[in-house]
Amino acid sequence: MNDTTVTLVGNVATAVDYRETVAGGVARFRFAVTARRWDRERGLWSDGNTSFYTVSAWRSLGANLAASVSVGEPLVVHGRLKVREEDRDGQRKTFVDVDAVAVGHDLSRGTAAFRRAPKVERAAPEPQPEQDPWTVAAEEGSAVNPHLVTAS
């Protein structure tokens, strides 16, 4: 696959919106990444431009993210980069999205306590008894090949 993968370090800019869809649950939020540079003349760090990304996380990652993340928290997001263009209000706009593969709190800026999410048990399908196709066909009134001879 030729996906472009990226790792972004920044802050949660909007509340996480979690929704159940036909394809599974998805969490979405805006993520702000601000470049920081060391200013030698002043002897301090200064902020550069801020880039915003829409991050999507599917299934269990999305559910865990929605339960764990709030606006303003520092995160590390790793995922597939998607760039799309749309016409809005008569203008061509470019949007940059990330389909997250992994998300975690940035521990260089604080601490976190990890809690395992409970496993979701899926109901196993009922085992079906082996059925003889000839018996089923006869019960349904289907014609059975009279030329087929089976040894008893």
Coordinates of all heavy atoms in Angstrom, one line a residue, residues 55-152:
V55 N -9.2 14.5 12.7 CA -8.8 13.1 13.0 C -10.0 12.2 13.1 O -11.0 12.6 13.8 CB -7.9 13.1 14.3 CG1 -7.5 11.7 14.6 CG2 -6.7 14.0 14.1
S56 N -10.0 11.1 12.5 CA -11.0 10.1 12.6 C -10.4 8.8 13.2 O -9.3 8.4 12.8 CB -11.6 9.8 11.2 OG -12.2 10.9 10.7
A57 N -11.1 8.2 14.1 CA -10.7 6.9 14.7 C -11.9 6.0 14.7 O -12.9 6.3 15.2 CB -10.1 7.2 16.1
W58 N -11.7 4.8 14.2 CA -12.8 3.9 14.0 C -12.8 2.8 15.0 O -11.8 2.5 15.7 CB -12.7 3.2 12.6 CG -13.0 4.2 11.5 CD1 -12.1 5.0 10.9 CD2 -14.3 4.5 11.0 NE1 -12.8 5.8 10.0 CE2 -14.1 5.5 10.0 CE3 -15.5 4.0 11.2 CZ2 -15.1 6.0 9.2 CZ3 -16.6 4.5 10.4 CH2 -16.4 5.5 9.5
R59 N -13.9 2.2 15.2 CA -14.2 1.0 16.1 C -13.7 1.2 17.5 O -14.0 2.2 18.1 CB -13.6 -0.3 15.4 CG -14.4 -0.6 14.1 CD -13.8 -1.8 13.3 NE -12.7 -1.4 12.5 CZ -12.8 -0.6 11.4 NH1 -13.9 -0.1 11.0 NH2 -11.7 -0.3 10.7
S60 N -12.9 0.3 18.0 CA -12.5 0.3 19.5 C -11.6 1.5 19.7 O -11.7 2.1 20.8 CB -11.9 -1.0 19.9 OG -10.7 -1.2 19.2
L61 N -10.8 1.9 18.8 CA -9.9 3.1 19.0 C -10.8 4.3 19.1 O -10.6 5.1 20.0 CB -8.9 3.3 17.8 CG -8.1 4.5 17.8 CD1 -7.2 4.6 19.1 CD2 -7.2 4.6 16.6
G62 N -11.8 4.4 18.3 CA -12.7 5.6 18.4 C -13.5 5.6 19.7 O -13.6 6.7 20.4
A63 N -14.0 4.5 20.2 CA -14.7 4.4 21.4 C -13.8 4.8 22.6 O -14.2 5.5 23.5 CB -15.3 3.1 21.6
N64 N -12.6 4.2 22.6 CA -11.6 4.5 23.7 C -11.2 5.9 23.7 O -11.0 6.6 24.7 CB -10.4 3.6 23.6 CG -10.8 2.1 23.9 OD1 -11.8 1.8 24.5 ND2 -9.9 1.2 23.4
L65 N -11.0 6.5 22.5 CA -10.6 7.9 22.4 C -11.7 8.8 22.9 O -11.4 9.7 23.7 CB -10.3 8.2 20.9 CG -9.6 9.5 20.6 CD1 -8.6 9.2 19.5 CD2 -10.5 10.5 20.2
A66 N -12.9 8.5 22.6 CA -14.0 9.4 23.0 C -14.2 9.3 24.6 O -14.5 10.3 25.2 CB -15.3 8.9 22.4
A67 N -13.8 8.2 25.2 CA -13.9 8.1 26.6 C -12.7 8.6 27.4 O -12.7 8.7 28.6 CB -14.1 6.6 27.0
S68 N -11.6 9.0 26.6 CA -10.4 9.3 27.3 C -9.8 10.7 27.0 O -8.9 11.1 27.7 CB -9.3 8.3 26.8 OG -9.6 7.0 27.0
V69 N -10.4 11.4 26.0 CA -9.7 12.6 25.6 C -10.7 13.8 25.7 O -11.9 13.7 25.4 CB -9.3 12.5 24.1 CG1 -8.8 13.8 23.5 CG2 -8.2 11.4 24.0
S70 N -10.1 15.0 26.1 CA -10.9 16.2 26.3 C -10.2 17.3 25.5 O -9.0 17.2 25.2 CB -11.0 16.6 27.8 OG -11.7 15.6 28.5
V71 N -10.9 18.4 25.3 CA -10.3 19.6 24.6 C -9.1 20.1 25.4 O -9.1 20.2 26.6 CB -11.4 20.7 24.5 CG1 -10.8 22.0 23.9 CG2 -12.6 20.3 23.6
G72 N -8.1 20.4 24.6 CA -6.9 21.0 25.2 C -5.8 20.0 25.6 O -4.7 20.4 25.8
E73 N -6.1 18.7 25.6 CA -5.1 17.8 26.0 C -4.1 17.5 24.9 O -4.4 17.5 23.7 CB -5.8 16.4 26.4 CG -6.7 16.6 27.6 CD -7.3 15.2 28.1 OE1 -7.3 14.3 27.3 OE2 -7.8 15.2 29.2
P74 N -2.8 17.3 25.3 CA -1.8 17.1 24.4 C -1.8 15.6 23.9 O -1.9 14.7 24.8 CB -0.5 17.4 25.1 CG -0.8 17.2 26.6 CD -2.3 17.5 26.7
L75 N -1.7 15.4 22.6 CA -1.8 14.0 22.1 C -0.7 13.8 21.1 O -0.1 14.7 20.5 CB -3.1 13.7 21.4 CG -4.4 13.7 22.2 CD1 -5.6 13.4 21.3 CD2 -4.4 12.8 23.3
V76 N -0.4 12.5 20.8 CA 0.4 12.0 19.7 C -0.6 11.2 18.9 O -1.2 10.3 19.4 CB 1.6 11.2 20.2 CG1 2.4 10.7 19.0 CG2 2.5 12.0 21.1
V77 N -0.7 11.6 17.6 CA -1.6 10.9 16.7 C -0.8 10.3 15.5 O 0.0 11.0 14.9 CB -2.7 11.9 16.1 CG1 -3.5 11.2 15.1 CG2 -3.6 12.4 17.2
H78 N -1.0 9.0 15.3 CA -0.3 8.4 14.2 C -1.4 7.8 13.3 O -2.3 7.1 13.7 CB 0.6 7.2 14.7 CG 1.3 6.5 13.6 ND1 2.4 7.1 13.0 CD2 1.1 5.3 13.0 CE1 2.8 6.2 12.0 NE2 2.1 5.1 12.1
G79 N -1.3 8.0 11.9 CA -2.3 7.5 11.0 C -2.0 7.8 9.6 O -0.9 8.3 9.2
R80 N -3.0 7.6 8.8 CA -2.9 7.8 7.3 C -3.4 9.2 6.9 O -4.5 9.6 7.3 CB -3.7 6.7 6.6 CG -3.1 5.3 6.7 CD -4.0 4.3 6.0 NE -5.3 4.1 6.6 CZ -5.5 3.4 7.7 NH1 -4.6 2.7 8.3 NH2 -6.8 3.3 8.2
L81 N -2.6 9.9 6.2 CA -2.9 11.2 5.8 C -3.8 11.2 4.6 O -3.5 10.5 3.6 CB -1.6 12.0 5.5 CG -1.7 13.5 5.2 CD1 -2.1 14.2 6.4 CD2 -0.3 14.0 4.7
K82 N -4.8 12.0 4.6 CA -5.8 12.2 3.5 C -5.9 13.7 3.2 O -6.3 14.4 4.1 CB -7.1 11.6 3.8 CG -7.1 10.2 4.3 CD -7.0 9.2 3.2 CE -7.1 7.8 3.9 NZ -6.8 6.7 3.0
V83 N -5.7 14.1 2.0 CA -5.9 15.5 1.5 C -7.1 15.5 0.6 O -7.1 14.7 -0.4 CB -4.6 16.0 0.9 CG1 -4.9 17.5 0.4 CG2 -3.5 16.0 1.9
R84 N -8.0 16.4 0.8 CA -9.2 16.5 -0.1 C -9.5 17.9 -0.4 O -9.2 18.8 0.4 CB -10.4 15.7 0.5 CG -10.8 16.3 1.8 CD -11.9 15.4 2.4 NE -12.1 15.8 3.8 CZ -12.9 16.8 4.2 NH1 -13.6 17.4 3.3 NH2 -13.0 17.1 5.5
E85 N -10.1 18.1 -1.5 CA -10.5 19.5 -1.9 C -12.0 19.5 -2.2 O -12.5 18.6 -2.7 CB -9.7 19.9 -3.2 CG -8.3 20.1 -3.0 CD -7.6 20.7 -4.2 OE1 -8.2 20.9 -5.2 OE2 -6.3 20.8 -4.1
E86 N -12.6 20.6 -1.7 CA -14.0 20.8 -1.9 C -14.3 22.2 -2.3 O -13.6 23.1 -2.0 CB -14.8 20.5 -0.6 CG -14.7 19.1 -0.2 CD -15.5 18.8 1.1 OE1 -16.2 19.8 1.6 OE2 -15.4 17.8 1.7
D87 N -15.4 22.4 -3.0 CA -15.9 23.7 -3.3 C -16.9 24.1 -2.3 O -17.9 23.4 -2.0 CB -16.6 23.7 -4.7 CG -15.7 23.7 -5.9 OD1 -14.6 24.3 -5.7 OD2 -16.0 23.0 -6.8
R88 N -16.6 25.2 -1.6 CA -17.5 25.7 -0.5 C -17.7 27.2 -0.7 O -16.7 27.9 -0.8 CB -16.9 25.4 0.9 CG -17.1 24.0 1.3 CD -16.9 23.9 2.8 NE -17.0 22.4 3.1 CZ -16.7 22.0 4.3 NH1 -16.3 22.8 5.3 NH2 -16.9 20.7 4.6
D89 N -18.9 27.6 -0.8 CA -19.2 29.0 -1.0 C -18.5 29.6 -2.2 O -18.0 30.8 -2.2 CB -18.9 29.8 0.3 CG -19.6 29.3 1.5 OD1 -20.7 28.9 1.4 OD2 -19.0 29.4 2.6
G90 N -18.4 28.8 -3.2 CA -17.8 29.3 -4.5 C -16.3 29.3 -4.5 O -15.7 29.8 -5.4
Q91 N -15.7 28.8 -3.4 CA -14.2 28.8 -3.3 C -13.7 27.4 -3.1 O -14.4 26.6 -2.5 CB -13.7 29.6 -2.1 CG -14.0 31.1 -2.2 CD -13.4 31.8 -1.0 OE1 -13.2 31.3 0.0 NE2 -13.3 33.2 -1.2
R92 N -12.6 27.1 -3.7 CA -12.0 25.8 -3.6 C -11.2 25.8 -2.3 O -10.3 26.6 -2.1 CB -11.0 25.6 -4.8 CG -10.5 24.2 -5.0 CD -11.5 23.4 -5.8 NE -11.0 22.1 -6.1 CZ -11.8 21.1 -6.2 NH1 -13.1 21.2 -6.0 NH2 -11.3 19.9 -6.5
K93 N -11.5 24.8 -1.4 CA -10.8 24.7 -0.1 C -10.1 23.3 0.0 O -10.6 22.4 -0.5 CB -11.8 24.9 1.0 CG -12.4 26.3 1.0 CD -12.9 26.6 2.3 CE -13.4 28.1 2.3 NZ -13.2 28.8 3.4
T94 N -9.0 23.3 0.7 CA -8.3 22.1 0.9 C -8.4 21.7 2.4 O -8.2 22.5 3.3 CB -6.8 22.3 0.6 OG1 -6.7 22.7 -0.8 CG2 -6.0 21.0 0.7
F95 N -8.7 20.4 2.6 CA -8.8 19.9 3.9 C -7.8 18.7 4.1 O -7.6 17.9 3.2 CB -10.2 19.3 4.2 CG -11.3 20.4 4.1 CD1 -11.9 20.7 2.8 CD2 -11.6 21.2 5.2 CE1 -12.9 21.7 2.7 CE2 -12.6 22.2 5.0 CZ -13.2 22.4 3.8
V96 N -7.2 18.7 5.3 CA -6.3 17.6 5.6 C -6.8 16.8 6.7 O -7.1 17.3 7.8 CB -4.9 18.2 5.9 CG1 -3.9 17.1 6.2 CG2 -4.4 19.1 4.8
D97 N -7.0 15.5 6.5 CA -7.6 14.6 7.5 C -6.6 13.5 7.8 O -5.7 13.2 7.0 CB -8.8 13.9 6.9 CG -9.9 14.9 6.5 OD1 -10.0 16.0 7.0 OD2 -10.7 14.5 5.6
V98 N -6.7 12.9 9.0 CA -5.9 11.8 9.4 C -6.8 10.7 9.9 O -7.6 10.9 10.7 CB -4.9 12.2 10.5 CG1 -4.1 11.0 11.0 CG2 -4.0 13.3 10.0
D99 N -6.7 9.5 9.2 CA -7.4 8.3 9.7 C -6.4 7.7 10.8 O -5.4 7.1 10.4 CB -7.7 7.3 8.6 CG -8.8 7.7 7.8 OD1 -9.6 8.5 8.2 OD2 -8.9 7.3 6.6
A100 N -6.7 7.8 12.0 CA -5.8 7.4 13.1 C -5.7 5.9 13.2 O -6.7 5.1 13.0 CB -6.3 7.9 14.4
V101 N -4.5 5.5 13.4 CA -4.1 4.1 13.7 C -3.8 3.9 15.2 O -4.2 2.9 15.8 CB -2.9 3.6 12.8 CG1 -2.5 2.2 13.2 CG2 -3.3 3.7 11.4
A102 N -3.2 4.9 15.8 CA -2.9 4.9 17.2 C -2.9 6.4 17.7 O -2.5 7.3 17.0 CB -1.5 4.3 17.4
V103 N -3.4 6.5 18.9 CA -3.5 7.8 19.6 C -3.2 7.6 21.0 O -3.6 6.7 21.7 CB -5.0 8.4 19.5 CG1 -5.1 9.7 20.2 CG2 -5.4 8.5 18.0
G104 N -2.4 8.6 21.6 CA -2.0 8.5 23.0 C -1.7 9.9 23.5 O -1.5 10.8 22.8
H105 N -1.8 10.0 24.8 CA -1.4 11.3 25.5 C 0.1 11.5 25.3 O 0.8 10.6 25.4 CB -1.9 11.3 26.9 CG -3.3 11.4 27.1 ND1 -4.2 10.4 27.4 CD2 -4.1 12.6 27.0 CE1 -5.4 10.9 27.5 NE2 -5.4 12.2 27.3
D106 N 0.5 12.8 25.2 CA 1.9 13.1 25.1 C 2.4 13.2 26.5 O 2.2 14.2 27.2 CB 2.0 14.5 24.3 CG 3.4 14.9 24.2 OD1 4.3 14.2 24.6 OD2 3.6 16.0 23.5
L107 N 3.2 12.2 26.9 CA 3.7 12.1 28.2 C 4.8 13.0 28.5 O 5.3 13.1 29.6 CB 4.0 10.6 28.5 CG 2.8 9.6 28.5 CD1 3.2 8.2 28.9 CD2 1.7 10.1 29.4
S108 N 5.3 13.7 27.5 CA 6.4 14.7 27.8 C 5.7 15.9 28.4 O 6.4 16.8 28.9 CB 7.1 15.1 26.5 OG 6.2 15.8 25.6
R109 N 4.4 16.0 28.4 CA 3.7 17.2 28.9 C 2.8 16.9 30.1 O 2.1 17.7 30.6 CB 2.9 17.8 27.8 CG 3.8 18.1 26.6 CD 3.4 19.2 25.7 NE 2.4 20.1 26.0 CZ 1.4 20.4 25.1 NH1 1.4 19.8 23.9 NH2 0.5 21.3 25.5
G110 N 2.8 15.6 30.6 CA 2.0 15.3 31.8 C 2.0 13.8 32.0 O 2.8 13.0 31.3
T111 N 1.2 13.3 32.9 CA 1.1 11.9 33.2 C -0.2 11.4 32.9 O -1.2 12.1 32.7 CB 1.4 11.6 34.7 OG1 0.4 12.3 35.5 CG2 2.8 12.2 35.2
A112 N -0.3 10.0 32.7 CA -1.6 9.4 32.4 C -1.6 8.0 33.2 O -0.6 7.5 33.5 CB -1.7 9.2 30.9
A113 N -2.8 7.5 33.4 CA -3.0 6.2 34.0 C -3.7 5.4 33.0 O -4.9 5.7 32.7 CB -3.7 6.3 35.3
F114 N -3.1 4.3 32.5 CA -3.8 3.5 31.5 C -4.7 2.5 32.2 O -4.4 1.9 33.2 CB -2.7 2.7 30.8 CG -3.2 1.8 29.7 CD1 -3.6 2.3 28.5 CD2 -3.4 0.4 29.9 CE1 -4.1 1.5 27.5 CE2 -3.9 -0.4 28.9 CZ -4.3 0.2 27.7
R115 N -5.9 2.3 31.6 CA -6.9 1.4 32.0 C -7.3 0.6 30.8 O -7.7 1.1 29.8 CB -8.1 2.1 32.6 CG -7.9 2.8 33.9 CD -9.1 3.5 34.4 NE -9.7 4.4 33.4 CZ -9.3 5.6 33.1 NH1 -8.2 6.1 33.7 NH2 -9.9 6.4 32.2
R116 N -7.2 -0.8 30.9 CA -7.7 -1.6 29.8 C -9.2 -1.5 29.6 O -9.9 -1.5 30.6 CB -7.3 -3.1 30.0 CG -5.8 -3.3 29.8 CD -5.6 -4.8 29.7 NE -4.2 -5.1 29.6 CZ -3.4 -5.0 28.5 NH1 -4.0 -4.6 27.4 NH2 -2.2 -5.2 28.6
A117 N -9.6 -1.4 28.4 CA -11.0 -1.4 28.1 C -11.5 -2.8 28.2 O -10.8 -3.8 27.8 CB -11.2 -0.8 26.7
P118 N -12.7 -3.0 28.7 CA -13.2 -4.4 28.8 C -13.4 -4.9 27.4 O -13.8 -4.2 26.5 CB -14.6 -4.2 29.5 CG -14.9 -2.8 29.4 CD -13.6 -2.0 29.2
K119 N -13.1 -6.2 27.2 CA -13.3 -6.8 25.9 C -14.8 -7.0 25.6 O -15.6 -7.3 26.5 CB -12.6 -8.2 25.8 CG -11.2 -8.1 25.7 CD -10.6 -9.4 25.4 CE -9.1 -9.3 25.3 NZ -8.4 -10.6 24.9
V120 N -15.2 -6.7 24.4 CA -16.6 -6.9 24.0 C -16.7 -8.3 23.5 O -16.1 -8.7 22.5 CB -17.0 -5.9 22.9 CG1 -18.4 -6.1 22.4 CG2 -16.8 -4.5 23.4
E121 N -17.5 -9.1 24.2 CA -17.7 -10.5 23.8 C -18.8 -10.5 22.8 O -19.9 -10.0 22.9 CB -18.2 -11.3 25.1 CG -17.1 -11.4 26.1 CD -15.9 -12.2 25.7 OE1 -16.1 -13.2 24.9 OE2 -14.8 -11.9 26.1
R122 N -18.5 -11.1 21.7 CA -19.5 -11.3 20.6 C -20.1 -12.7 20.8 O -19.4 -13.7 21.1 CB -18.8 -11.3 19.2 CG -18.3 -9.9 19.0 CD -17.8 -9.8 17.6 NE -17.2 -8.5 17.3 CZ -16.4 -8.2 16.4 NH1 -16.0 -9.1 15.5 NH2 -16.0 -7.0 16.2
A123 N -21.4 -12.7 20.6 CA -22.1 -14.0 20.8 C -21.7 -14.9 19.6 O -21.7 -14.6 18.5 CB -23.6 -13.8 20.7
A124 N -21.2 -16.1 20.0 CA -20.9 -17.1 19.0 C -22.1 -17.7 18.3 O -23.1 -17.9 19.0 CB -20.1 -18.3 19.6
P125 N -22.1 -17.9 17.0 CA -23.3 -18.5 16.4 C -23.6 -19.9 16.9 O -22.6 -20.6 17.3 CB -22.9 -18.5 14.9 CG -21.4 -18.4 14.8 CD -21.0 -17.7 16.1
E126 N -24.8 -20.2 17.0 CA -25.2 -21.5 17.4 C -24.7 -22.6 16.5 O -24.8 -22.4 15.3 CB -26.8 -21.6 17.4 CG -27.4 -20.8 18.5 CD -27.3 -21.4 19.9 OE1 -27.3 -22.6 20.0 OE2 -27.1 -20.6 20.8
P127 N -24.1 -23.6 17.0 CA -23.5 -24.7 16.1 C -24.7 -25.4 15.4 O -25.7 -25.7 16.1 CB -22.8 -25.6 17.1 CG -23.2 -25.3 18.4 CD -23.8 -23.9 18.4
Q128 N -24.6 -25.6 14.1 CA -25.6 -26.2 13.4 C -25.3 -27.7 13.2 O -24.1 -28.0 13.0 CB -25.7 -25.6 12.0 CG -26.1 -24.1 12.0 CD -27.5 -23.9 12.5 OE1 -28.4 -24.7 12.2 NE2 -27.7 -22.9 13.4
P129 N -26.2 -28.6 13.5 CA -26.0 -30.0 13.3 C -25.7 -30.3 11.8 O -26.2 -29.7 10.9 CB -27.3 -30.7 13.8 CG -28.3 -29.6 13.7 CD -27.6 -28.3 13.8
E130 N -24.8 -31.3 11.6 CA -24.5 -31.7 10.3 C -25.8 -32.3 9.6 O -26.5 -33.0 10.3 CB -23.4 -32.8 10.3 CG -22.1 -32.3 10.7 CD -21.3 -31.7 9.5 OE1 -21.6 -32.0 8.4 OE2 -20.4 -30.9 9.8
Q131 N -26.1 -31.8 8.4 CA -27.3 -32.3 7.8 C -26.9 -33.0 6.5 O -26.0 -32.5 5.7 CB -28.2 -31.2 7.5 CG -28.8 -30.5 8.7 CD -29.8 -29.4 8.4 OE1 -29.8 -28.9 7.3 NE2 -30.7 -29.2 9.4
D132 N -27.5 -34.1 6.2 CA -27.3 -34.8 5.0 C -28.0 -34.1 3.9 O -29.3 -34.0 4.0 CB -27.7 -36.3 5.2 CG -27.5 -37.1 3.9 OD1 -27.1 -36.6 2.9 OD2 -27.9 -38.3 4.0
P133 N -27.4 -33.6 2.9 CA -28.1 -32.9 1.8 C -29.2 -33.7 1.2 O -30.2 -33.2 0.7 CB -27.0 -32.5 0.9 CG -25.8 -33.3 1.2 CD -26.0 -33.8 2.6
W134 N -29.0 -35.1 1.1 CA -30.0 -35.9 0.5 C -31.3 -36.0 1.3 O -32.4 -35.9 0.8 CB -29.5 -37.3 0.2 CG -28.3 -37.3 -0.8 CD1 -27.0 -37.4 -0.5 CD2 -28.5 -37.0 -2.1 NE1 -26.3 -37.3 -1.6 CE2 -27.2 -37.0 -2.7 CE3 -29.5 -36.7 -3.0 CZ2 -26.9 -36.8 -4.0 CZ3 -29.2 -36.5 -4.3 CH2 -27.9 -36.5 -4.8
T135 N -31.1 -36.0 2.6 CA -32.2 -36.1 3.5 C -33.0 -34.8 3.5 O -34.2 -34.8 3.4 CB -31.8 -36.3 5.0 OG1 -31.0 -37.5 5.0 CG2 -32.9 -36.5 5.9
V136 N -32.3 -33.6 3.5 CA -32.9 -32.3 3.4 C -33.7 -32.2 2.1 O -34.8 -31.7 2.0 CB -31.8 -31.2 3.5 CG1 -32.5 -29.8 3.3 CG2 -31.2 -31.2 4.9
A137 N -33.1 -32.6 1.0 CA -33.7 -32.5 -0.3 C -35.0 -33.4 -0.4 O -36.0 -32.9 -0.9 CB -32.7 -33.0 -1.4
A138 N -34.9 -34.6 0.2 CA -36.1 -35.4 0.2 C -37.2 -34.8 1.1 O -38.4 -34.9 0.7 CB -35.7 -36.8 0.7
E139 N -36.8 -34.2 2.2 CA -37.8 -33.6 3.1 C -38.5 -32.4 2.4 O -39.7 -32.1 2.7 CB -37.2 -33.2 4.4 CG -36.8 -34.3 5.3 CD -36.0 -33.9 6.5 OE1 -35.7 -32.7 6.6 OE2 -35.7 -34.8 7.3
E140 N -37.7 -31.7 1.6 CA -38.3 -30.5 0.9 C -39.0 -30.9 -0.4 O -39.5 -30.0 -1.1 CB -37.1 -29.5 0.6 CG -36.5 -28.9 1.8 CD -35.3 -28.1 1.5 OE1 -34.9 -28.0 0.4 OE2 -34.8 -27.4 2.5
G141 N -39.0 -32.2 -0.7 CA -39.8 -32.6 -1.9 C -38.9 -32.5 -3.2 O -39.5 -32.6 -4.3
S142 N -37.6 -32.3 -3.0 CA -36.8 -32.2 -4.2 C -36.5 -33.6 -4.8 O -36.6 -34.6 -4.0 CB -35.4 -31.6 -3.9 OG -35.6 -30.3 -3.4
A143 N -36.3 -33.7 -6.0 CA -36.1 -35.0 -6.7 C -34.6 -35.4 -6.3 O -33.7 -34.6 -6.4 CB -36.2 -34.9 -8.2
V144 N -34.5 -36.6 -6.0 CA -33.2 -37.2 -5.7 C -32.8 -38.1 -6.9 O -33.6 -38.8 -7.4 CB -33.2 -38.1 -4.4 CG1 -31.9 -38.7 -4.2 CG2 -33.6 -37.2 -3.2
N145 N -31.6 -38.0 -7.3 CA -31.1 -38.7 -8.5 C -31.3 -40.2 -8.2 O -30.6 -40.8 -7.4 CB -29.6 -38.3 -8.7 CG -29.1 -39.0 -10.0 OD1 -29.8 -39.8 -10.6 ND2 -28.0 -38.5 -10.4
P146 N -32.2 -40.9 -9.0 CA -32.4 -42.3 -8.8 C -31.2 -43.2 -9.3 O -31.1 -44.3 -8.9 CB -33.6 -42.6 -9.6 CG -33.7 -41.6 -10.6 CD -33.0 -40.4 -10.0
H147 N -30.3 -42.6 -10.1 CA -29.2 -43.4 -10.6 C -28.0 -43.4 -9.6 O -27.0 -44.1 -9.8 CB -28.7 -42.8 -11.9 CG -29.8 -42.8 -13.0 ND1 -30.3 -44.0 -13.5 CD2 -30.6 -41.8 -13.5 CE1 -31.2 -43.7 -14.4 NE2 -31.4 -42.4 -14.4
L148 N -28.1 -42.6 -8.6 CA -27.0 -42.5 -7.6 C -27.1 -43.7 -6.6 O -28.2 -43.9 -6.0 CB -27.0 -41.2 -6.8 CG -25.9 -41.0 -5.8 CD1 -24.6 -40.9 -6.5 CD2 -26.2 -39.8 -5.0
V149 N -26.1 -44.5 -6.6 CA -26.2 -45.7 -5.7 C -25.1 -45.5 -4.7 O -24.0 -45.2 -4.9 CB -25.9 -47.0 -6.5 CG1 -25.9 -48.2 -5.6 CG2 -26.9 -47.1 -7.6
T150 N -25.5 -45.6 -3.4 CA -24.6 -45.5 -2.3 C -24.5 -46.8 -1.6 O -25.5 -47.6 -1.5 CB -25.0 -44.4 -1.3 OG1 -26.3 -44.7 -0.8 CG2 -25.0 -43.1 -2.0
A151 N -23.3 -47.2 -1.2 CA -23.1 -48.4 -0.4 C -23.5 -48.2 1.0 O -23.3 -47.2 1.6 CB -21.7 -48.8 -0.5
S152 N -24.2 -49.2 1.6 CA -24.6 -49.2 2.9 C -23.6 -49.8 3.8 O -23.1 -50.8 3.6 CB -26.0 -49.8 3.1 OG -26.9 -49.2 2.3

